[in-house]
Amino acid sequence: QYKICTNIRVQCTSQSFMGSRGPGTPLICERLSPWVLEKELRIKMADWDGIDDLLDSAWREKETKNAILWWNLILAFMRYRIPFTYLLQGNFGKNLIIPMPQDDAS
C-alpha cells in the first residue's frame, strides 16, 4: 500500500514557469531510478526529433512527464559531474553552444 518515493522540488522565478499546481508554483516530480530514466530516454531518442525535443523548452512545458524526464536527466548529469549546459539551450535568447544541433544539419 505504501510507496517509497523521492520527490524533486523545482522552483523558478519566471512568470511562464508551470509548476505542479499552475503557473508560479513549484514543480514537484518523482525522482526516477537510473533504469527507468535510461528506458524513457531510449524511447525519446528513438523519436524523430529526439535530442531537438530535449533542447526545446516548449517540449518540457507540453507535458508534466516531459518535465519529469528532463529534470531527472539534469540530476543524473549533476550526480556524475557531466556538463549539462547544452540541455538549457532553449531557455536563453542567445545560444549557449554554437552551432546549435539544427545548425549542423544544414
Side-chain angles (χ1 to χ4, degrees):
Q1 289 184 359
Y2 297 102
K3 183 178 178 183
I4 298 174
C5 159
T6 304
N7 288 327
I8 304 167
R9 179 184 170 115
V10 181
Q11 288 185 265
C12 182
T13 58
S14 171
Q15 297 297 325
S16 64
F17 183 77
M18 184 63 73
S20 300
R21 296 185 179 164
T25 63
L27 174 68
I28 309 293
C29 57
E30 184 177 336
R31 182 154 189 188
L32 303 176
S33 74
W35 300 279
V36 172
L37 180 59
E38 178 186 2
K39 177 186 160 232
E40 292 296 327
L41 285 173
R42 284 183 187 270
I43 292 168
K44 182 63 210 151
M45 296 312 286
D47 285 353
W48 182 258
D49 294 324
I51 190 67
D52 292 331
D53 277 347
L54 287 174
L55 297 178
D56 186 5
S57 60
W59 176 80
R60 290 191 299 276
E61 296 165 2
K62 187 175 172 184
E63 291 183 45
T64 303
K65 177 184 174 185
N66 297 348
I68 291 170
L69 179 61
W70 192 81
W71 283 109
N72 273 273
L73 185 59
I74 293 290
L75 284 177
F77 276 41
M78 290 174 69
R79 178 179 181 199
Y80 295 109
R81 296 188 174 127
I82 300 171
F84 58 88
T85 53
Y86 73 92
L87 291 173
L88 303 172
Q89 287 291 108
N91 293 24
F92 300 96
K94 294 184 177 179
N95 293 340
L96 295 174
I97 298 173
I98 298 177
M100 284 282 289
Q102 63 264 23
D103 294 341
D104 286 340
S106 51

Coordinates of all heavy atoms in Angstrom, one line a residue, residues 44-75:
K44 N 12.6 8.2 -26.0 CA 12.6 9.6 -26.5 C 13.6 9.7 -27.7 O 13.3 10.4 -28.7 CB 12.9 10.5 -25.4 CG 12.9 12.0 -25.8 CD 11.5 12.4 -26.3 CE 11.5 13.4 -27.3 NZ 10.4 13.4 -28.2
M45 N 14.8 9.2 -27.5 CA 15.8 9.3 -28.6 C 15.4 8.6 -29.8 O 15.9 8.9 -30.9 CB 17.1 8.9 -28.0 CG 17.7 9.7 -26.9 SD 17.6 11.5 -27.1 CE 18.9 11.7 -28.3
A46 N 14.6 7.6 -29.7 CA 14.1 6.8 -30.9 C 13.1 7.7 -31.7 O 12.9 7.4 -32.9 CB 13.5 5.5 -30.5
D47 N 12.5 8.7 -31.1 CA 11.6 9.6 -31.8 C 12.4 10.3 -32.9 O 13.6 10.5 -32.8 CB 11.0 10.6 -30.9 CG 9.9 10.0 -30.0 OD1 9.5 8.9 -30.2 OD2 9.4 10.7 -29.1
W48 N 11.6 10.8 -33.9 CA 12.2 11.6 -35.0 C 13.0 12.8 -34.5 O 14.1 13.1 -35.0 CB 11.1 12.0 -35.9 CG 11.6 12.7 -37.1 CD1 11.6 14.1 -37.3 CD2 12.3 12.2 -38.3 NE1 12.1 14.4 -38.5 CE2 12.6 13.2 -39.2 CE3 12.6 10.9 -38.7 CZ2 13.2 13.1 -40.4 CZ3 13.2 10.7 -39.9 CH2 13.5 11.8 -40.7
D49 N 12.4 13.6 -33.5 CA 13.1 14.8 -33.1 C 13.8 14.6 -31.8 O 14.2 15.6 -31.1 CB 12.0 15.9 -32.9 CG 11.3 16.3 -34.2 OD1 12.1 16.3 -35.2 OD2 10.1 16.5 -34.2
G50 N 14.1 13.4 -31.3 CA 14.8 13.1 -30.1 C 15.6 14.2 -29.4 O 15.0 14.8 -28.5
I51 N 16.8 14.5 -29.7 CA 17.6 15.5 -29.0 C 17.1 16.9 -29.2 O 17.2 17.7 -28.3 CB 19.1 15.4 -29.4 CG1 20.0 16.2 -28.5 CG2 19.3 15.8 -30.8 CD1 20.1 15.7 -27.1
D52 N 16.5 17.2 -30.3 CA 16.0 18.5 -30.5 C 14.9 18.8 -29.6 O 14.7 19.9 -29.1 CB 15.5 18.7 -32.0 CG 16.6 18.7 -33.0 OD1 17.7 19.1 -32.6 OD2 16.4 18.3 -34.1
D53 N 14.0 17.8 -29.3 CA 13.0 18.0 -28.3 C 13.5 18.2 -26.9 O 13.0 19.1 -26.2 CB 12.0 16.7 -28.2 CG 11.0 16.8 -29.3 OD1 10.8 17.8 -30.0 OD2 10.4 15.7 -29.5
L54 N 14.5 17.5 -26.5 CA 15.1 17.7 -25.2 C 15.7 19.1 -25.0 O 15.7 19.6 -23.9 CB 16.2 16.7 -24.9 CG 15.8 15.2 -24.7 CD1 17.0 14.3 -24.6 CD2 15.0 15.1 -23.4
L55 N 16.2 19.7 -26.1 CA 16.7 21.1 -26.0 C 15.7 22.1 -26.1 O 16.0 23.3 -25.9 CB 17.7 21.2 -27.2 CG 19.0 20.4 -27.1 CD1 19.9 20.6 -28.3 CD2 19.7 20.5 -25.8
D56 N 14.4 21.8 -26.5 CA 13.4 22.7 -26.7 C 12.6 22.9 -25.4 O 12.0 22.0 -24.9 CB 12.5 22.3 -27.8 CG 11.4 23.3 -28.2 OD1 11.4 24.4 -27.6 OD2 10.6 22.9 -29.0
S57 N 12.5 24.1 -24.8 CA 11.8 24.4 -23.6 C 10.3 24.2 -23.8 O 9.6 23.8 -22.8 CB 12.1 25.8 -23.1 OG 11.7 26.8 -24.0
A58 N 9.8 24.3 -25.0 CA 8.4 24.1 -25.2 C 8.0 22.6 -25.0 O 6.9 22.3 -24.6 CB 8.0 24.5 -26.6
W59 N 8.9 21.7 -25.4 CA 8.7 20.3 -25.2 C 8.5 20.0 -23.7 O 7.6 19.2 -23.3 CB 9.9 19.5 -25.7 CG 9.7 18.0 -25.5 CD1 9.0 17.1 -26.2 CD2 10.4 17.3 -24.5 NE1 9.1 15.9 -25.7 CE2 10.0 15.9 -24.6 CE3 11.3 17.6 -23.5 CZ2 10.5 14.9 -23.8 CZ3 11.8 16.6 -22.6 CH2 11.4 15.3 -22.8
R60 N 9.4 20.6 -22.8 CA 9.3 20.4 -21.4 C 8.0 20.9 -20.8 O 7.4 20.4 -19.9 CB 10.4 21.0 -20.7 CG 11.7 20.4 -20.9 CD 12.8 20.9 -20.0 NE 13.1 22.3 -20.2 CZ 13.9 22.8 -21.1 NH1 14.5 22.0 -21.9 NH2 14.1 24.1 -21.1
E61 N 7.5 22.0 -21.4 CA 6.2 22.6 -20.9 C 5.0 22.0 -21.4 O 3.9 22.1 -20.8 CB 6.2 24.1 -21.3 CG 7.4 24.9 -20.6 CD 7.6 26.3 -21.3 OE1 6.8 26.6 -22.2 OE2 8.5 27.0 -20.8
K62 N 5.1 21.1 -22.4 CA 4.0 20.5 -23.0 C 3.3 19.5 -22.1 O 2.1 19.5 -22.0 CB 4.5 19.8 -24.3 CG 3.4 19.2 -25.2 CD 4.0 18.7 -26.5 CE 3.1 17.9 -27.3 NZ 3.7 17.3 -28.5
E63 N 4.1 18.6 -21.4 CA 3.5 17.6 -20.6 C 4.4 17.5 -19.3 O 5.6 17.7 -19.3 CB 3.6 16.2 -21.2 CG 2.6 16.1 -22.4 CD 2.7 14.6 -22.9 OE1 2.7 13.7 -22.1 OE2 2.7 14.5 -24.1
T64 N 3.7 17.2 -18.2 CA 4.5 17.0 -16.9 C 5.5 15.9 -17.1 O 6.6 16.0 -16.5 CB 3.5 16.7 -15.8 OG1 2.6 17.8 -15.7 CG2 4.2 16.6 -14.5
K65 N 5.1 14.8 -17.8 CA 6.0 13.7 -18.0 C 7.3 14.1 -18.6 O 8.4 13.7 -18.2 CB 5.4 12.6 -18.8 CG 6.2 11.5 -19.1 CD 5.6 10.5 -20.1 CE 6.5 9.4 -20.5 NZ 6.0 8.5 -21.5
N66 N 7.3 15.1 -19.5 CA 8.5 15.6 -20.2 C 9.3 16.3 -19.2 O 10.6 16.2 -19.2 CB 8.1 16.5 -21.4 CG 7.4 15.7 -22.5 OD1 7.3 14.5 -22.5 ND2 6.8 16.4 -23.4
A67 N 8.7 17.2 -18.4 CA 9.5 17.9 -17.4 C 10.1 17.0 -16.4 O 11.3 17.2 -16.0 CB 8.5 18.9 -16.7
I68 N 9.4 16.0 -16.0 CA 10.0 15.0 -15.0 C 11.2 14.3 -15.6 O 12.2 14.2 -15.0 CB 8.9 14.0 -14.6 CG1 7.8 14.6 -13.8 CG2 9.6 12.8 -13.9 CD1 6.6 13.7 -13.5
L69 N 11.1 13.9 -16.9 CA 12.2 13.3 -17.6 C 13.4 14.2 -17.7 O 14.6 13.9 -17.4 CB 11.8 12.8 -19.0 CG 12.8 12.1 -19.8 CD1 13.4 10.9 -19.2 CD2 12.3 11.8 -21.2
W70 N 13.1 15.5 -18.0 CA 14.2 16.5 -18.2 C 14.9 16.8 -16.9 O 16.1 16.8 -16.8 CB 13.6 17.7 -18.9 CG 14.7 18.7 -19.3 CD1 15.4 18.6 -20.5 CD2 15.2 19.8 -18.6 NE1 16.3 19.7 -20.6 CE2 16.2 20.4 -19.4 CE3 14.9 20.4 -17.4 CZ2 16.8 21.6 -19.1 CZ3 15.5 21.6 -17.0 CH2 16.5 22.1 -17.9
W71 N 14.2 17.0 -15.8 CA 14.8 17.3 -14.5 C 15.5 16.1 -14.0 O 16.6 16.3 -13.3 CB 13.7 17.9 -13.6 CG 13.4 19.3 -13.8 CD1 12.2 19.7 -14.4 CD2 14.2 20.4 -13.7 NE1 12.3 21.1 -14.5 CE2 13.5 21.5 -14.1 CE3 15.5 20.6 -13.2 CZ2 14.0 22.8 -14.1 CZ3 16.0 21.9 -13.2 CH2 15.3 23.0 -13.6
N72 N 15.1 14.9 -14.2 CA 15.8 13.8 -13.8 C 17.1 13.6 -14.6 O 18.1 13.2 -14.0 CB 14.9 12.5 -13.9 CG 14.1 12.3 -12.7 OD1 14.5 11.6 -11.8 ND2 12.9 12.8 -12.7
L73 N 17.1 14.0 -15.8 CA 18.3 14.0 -16.6 C 19.3 15.0 -16.1 O 20.5 14.7 -16.0 CB 17.9 14.3 -18.1 CG 19.1 14.2 -19.1 CD1 19.7 12.8 -19.1 CD2 18.6 14.6 -20.5
I74 N 18.8 16.2 -15.8 CA 19.7 17.2 -15.2 C 20.3 16.6 -13.9 O 21.6 16.8 -13.7 CB 18.9 18.5 -14.9 CG1 18.5 19.2 -16.2 CG2 19.8 19.4 -14.0 CD1 19.6 19.8 -17.0
L75 N 19.5 16.0 -13.0 CA 20.1 15.5 -11.8 C 21.1 14.4 -12.0 O 22.1 14.3 -11.3 CB 18.9 14.9 -10.9 CG 18.1 15.9 -10.2 CD1 17.0 15.2 -9.4 CD2 18.9 16.7 -9.2

